[in-house]
Amino acid sequence: MEPEHATPAPPAPPSASALPARSAEVARALAAAGVPGQVRRLDRSARTAAEAAEALRCDIGAIANSLVFLSGDEPVLVLTSGRHRVDTTALAARWGRPELRRATPEQVREATGQAIGGVAPVGHPRPLPTVVDEALTGHARIWAAAGTPHTVFPTTAGELLWLTGGRLLPVGPRAASEPA
C-alpha cells in the first residue's frame, strides 16, 4: 500500500491502436525520431496548461503549450511554458520575423491537422518554423500535447528542439537590456 503523501505516477501509455487517430500519428512521429517518450491518454482534459498540470501533478511551467501564430501568411509554432504568455512583438523581433498574430482555430487545424487544446509539436502535415521557449529548459521533464486534449507525452526542451528543428528563444516581454 502506498503512503498517502505519495504522488501517483502519470498514466501508463496505451497501445498505439488504442489511441485516437491524431495521437497515433504523433506516436508514430515520436517513434520514427527515436524519442523514448510515449503518448499517454488522460482521464480528463488537458486542454489548458492548468488542466494539464493538474492532471499530471506537475508544475504548470513544465507544460509545453503548442501555439500557432501567423507570421505574414506563414503558420509558425511557438512551444511555450505554461507559466506565461507569449509577447508577440518581442518574439517577432527576436526571431527576425514579421508581426506574429494568433491563428484562428481553422488556421490551426489547417496547419497542424489538430484542434486547439491538443496541438502537438509534431505529427503535422508539414514541419512548421518553430520556437521553443527557453523557460522550458528549467525543467528536466516537460509534457506536451499529443494531438488531442486528452493525450500528452513526456519530453525535454532538447528533444523538442531536435524534433522540430526549432530555435531556442525567450518568448516573454523584452528585457530592459534588449535593443528595441
Side-chain angles (χ1 to χ4, degrees):
M1 191 164 170
E2 288 187 36
E4 283 184 37
H5 66 277
T7 301
S15 69
S17 62
L19 292 171
R22 297 289 179 218
S23 299
E25 201 169 307
V26 171
R28 282 191 294 277
L30 295 173
V35 172
Q38 294 185 351
V39 174
R40 298 163 193 236
R41 183 188 299 263
L42 301 175
D43 292 333
R44 53 187 161 169
S45 173
R47 186 174 176 81
T48 68
E51 289 175 351
E54 185 178 321
L56 293 162
R57 294 177 172 78
C58 70
D59 183 81
I60 195 168
I63 302 299
N65 284 331
S66 297
L67 305 175
V68 178
F69 293 89
L70 295 178
S71 177
D73 290 331
E74 181 181 26
V76 298
L77 183 64
V78 177
L79 304 175
T80 183
S81 166
R83 186 168 301 286
H84 58 266
R85 295 191 178 276
V86 175
D87 181 324
T88 56
T89 302
L91 179 57
R94 287 182 191 117
W95 200 0
R97 289 198 155 265
E99 173 188 22
L100 297 176
R101 62 189 189 287
R102 270 315 261 272
T104 65
E106 295 78 21
Q107 291 166 326
V108 170
R109 189 175 290 277
E110 184 179 323
T112 67
Q114 302 160 357
I116 290 176
V119 175
V122 296
H124 309 148
R126 63 180 173 27
L128 300 175
T130 303
V131 161
V132 175
D133 185 356
E134 72 177 11
L136 291 169
T137 64
H139 300 276
R141 176 169 54 180
I142 56 180
W143 293 90
T148 75
H150 287 87
T151 55
V152 295
F153 70 95
T155 188
T156 66
E159 279 180 352
L160 290 176
L161 285 165
W162 181 74
L163 280 168
T164 64
R167 185 168 168 195
L168 189 67
L169 290 172
V171 302
R174 194 177 303 221
S177 61
E178 282 185 271

